[in-house]
Amino acid sequence: MSDKARIRRDIASMSAYTPTTSLEVFAERLGLAVGDLIKLDANENPFGPSPRAIEALARLPNINVYPDPESGRLRELLADYTGVPAKQILCGAGADELIELILQLFIEPGDCVINTPPTFAMYGFDAPLYHGRVIDVYRRADFSLDVDAIAAAAQQHSAKLVFLCSPNNPSGGLIDAADIRRLLDLSATIVVDEAYIEFAEADGLSDWVAEYPNLIVLRTLSKWAGLAGLRVGYGIFPSALMPHLWKIKQPYNVNIAADIAAQASLRDADLLLERVRSLVAQRQRLEVAFAEFACLAPYPSQANFVLSRVQGLSAEDFRDRLARAGIIARYYNKPRLYDHIRISAGTPHQVDRLLEALRGIAAG
Ligand SMILES: *Cc1c(COP(=O)(O)O)cnc(C)c1O
């Protein structure tokens, strides 16, 4: 009997996921050493984790013992960092896990989930797996939210959840506070993913959770704290949701290494936020420099990356030419993004090399 006969039909008919090429394969294809590659395709932190996190990982205790299922110490440190009581914070194996947990908590088969593409792919990818019905409300040409259309769709479909990303990945813009307030008047729960808030000139919405019973804020240590490979993020939830989240969370979702490294990172927040300022300076450098190339039209960003429209050549071709210079950028084969490229901010040296490669491409 074929697998198809027994597994979920929607999964059997799904197309396969194309994983990103590993650095090793990429380097071999280009005839370069892995160390010569500059990875600017996934908004990772080029400075790596904090020294305290590295030290804590080197002394990792008791990996034969299960981790603290409540991530108690980490949540206390996150409470200090965010100003939100620990009892309203839940940690996950990355913010990605919390997206799934929120869908599990709210969605009954056929319930509507509003997505606002172009945006982070996981909301639209995960929702159907948890039996949600995704309604896409596309952003405007400048990638700002179409709040009227979201409100209308939410009402028409009695939406349970609205996923918003601020600053938005991949376009980089923040959502106006007034727009979010308007959406919070809807009966849907509004999930605001603030994976990049440390890079923005805004405080984020953690304080608002006390005020709105239908607001969830997601954060991660993957980007600003350089822990993407360890998988640790957190959500700030209305008090009423917490007992139910505790019921459904996998008990040992945050592993010991992630827990310990995240704690050490929060104790090293000053240094990490200094690096964030350096990355913001490099992102600003990219915005200014890109605007001077005829082939690129950058959008203003409040994150650690810049999205640009590519003109005069295809974005795919542009990505391939950067790759030949050892620079990996992100191209999306998706509506509204076919002629765009996203490039992460790197170290000053990496940005020097990127700009040199760009001058080469511009010269033909
Ligand atoms: C990177 C990213 C995440 C993933 O966070 P993890 O904590 O690594 O799972 C979530 N949301 C957005 C918008 C991201 O860009």
Side-chain angles (χ1 to χ4, degrees):
M1 190 191 295
S2 82
D3 287 348
K4 269 197 170 176
R6 311 212 52 176
I7 67 169
R8 272 170 53 174
R9 279 167 300 169
D10 58 333
I11 295 177
S13 63
M14 250 167 91
S15 43
Y17 175 79
T18 13
T20 52
T21 316
S22 79
L23 284 183
E24 287 73 17
V25 171
F26 204 84
E28 199 179 300
R29 207 186 283 164
L30 294 164
L32 296 170
V34 171
D36 289 336
L37 294 179
I38 297 185
K39 191 174 182 322
L40 302 177
D41 63 335
N43 306 334
E44 291 142 335
N45 193 319
F47 296 111
S50 89
R52 286 199 195 190
I54 293 171
E55 207 178 290
L57 287 169
R59 295 187 275 103
L60 201 60
N62 300 336
I63 57 175
N64 58 318
V65 173
Y66 284 109
D68 172 9
E70 297 181 0
S71 308
R73 282 189 154 166
L74 174 55
R75 286 169 50 242
E76 287 301 334
L77 289 165
L78 285 168
D80 291 342
Y81 179 70
T82 60
V84 173
K87 60 185 193 316
Q88 281 178 264
I89 297 174
L90 192 79
C91 297
D96 283 354
E97 188 198 17
L98 298 169
I99 294 169
E100 293 187 313
L101 206 63
I102 292 164
L103 289 162
Q104 289 177 47
L105 186 64
F106 281 91
I107 299 303
E108 295 180 45
D111 281 348
C112 166
V113 176
I114 297 212
N115 191 30
T116 64
T119 190
F120 187 54
M122 295 314 290
Y123 324 130
F125 175 81
D126 287 335
L129 288 177
Y130 293 97
H131 309 289
R133 184 166 50 96
V134 178
I135 301 287
D136 284 328
V137 179
Y138 271 82
R139 287 167 176 259
R140 298 197 193 90
D142 64 356
F143 297 112
S144 62
L145 281 186
D146 189 341
V147 180
D148 290 334
I150 295 170
Q155 263 148 9
Q156 186 191 337
H157 300 280
S158 308
K160 276 277 185 74
L161 293 171
V162 178
F163 280 97
L164 302 175
C165 187
S166 181
N168 187 44
N169 179 7
S171 53
L174 274 170
I175 301 174
D176 275 351
D179 285 347
I180 295 188
R181 288 219 190 263
R182 231 191 104 196
L183 294 172
L184 283 164
D185 286 338
L186 298 169
S187 54
T189 292
I190 311 295
V191 183
V192 183
D193 182 343
E194 294 188 333
Y196 300 97
I197 198 67
E198 276 80 3
F199 300 94
E201 281 164 53
D203 294 333
L205 304 182
S206 48
D207 292 350
W208 293 23
V209 178
E211 192 185 333
Y212 289 99
N214 62 335
L215 172 63
I216 297 171
V217 175
L218 296 181
R219 302 267 181 88
T220 177
L221 281 91
S222 292
K223 314 295 171 28
W224 74 275
L227 297 183
L230 283 176
R231 317 301 307 124
V232 52
Y234 60 100
I236 303 171
F237 294 91
S239 301
L241 296 183
M242 292 300 295
H244 308 293
L245 286 161
W246 285 117
K247 286 187 260 182
I248 65 171
K249 179 186 87 66
Q250 293 287 331
Y252 308 120
N253 59 333
V254 179
N255 71 66
I256 287 189
D259 189 350
I260 292 228
Q263 289 183 44
S265 300
L266 290 161
R267 295 194 181 96
D268 221 357
D270 288 346
L271 176 144
L272 287 167
L273 293 171
E274 188 64 42
R275 292 176 177 180
V276 163
R277 282 189 286 279
S278 162
L279 287 167
V280 168
Q282 294 309 309
R283 180 253 289 160
Q284 287 165 340
R285 213 181 136 203
L286 293 182
E287 291 178 75
V288 171
F290 288 173
E292 285 167 10
F293 288 97
C295 61
L296 292 178
Y299 293 85
S301 173
Q302 290 279 309
N304 64 342
F305 54 82
V306 178
L307 184 76
S308 303
R309 189 156 43 78
V310 181
Q311 33 204 29
L313 74 169
S314 81
E316 241 176 327
D317 187 21
F318 181 82
R319 176 206 51 197
D320 292 342
R321 290 195 204 191
L322 279 179
R324 286 198 283 276
I327 291 160
I328 313 173
R330 181 68 194 266
Y331 167 71
Y332 297 88
N333 194 14
K334 277 188 190 169
R336 299 281 303 279
L337 294 173
Y338 293 120
D339 52 349
H340 289 72
I341 193 111
R342 191 195 68 192
I343 302 180
S344 310
T347 63
H349 169 70
Q350 290 177 324
V351 171
D352 289 345
R353 271 201 44 199
L354 166 65
L355 296 180
E356 189 187 310
L358 271 175
R359 284 190 287 271
I361 292 171

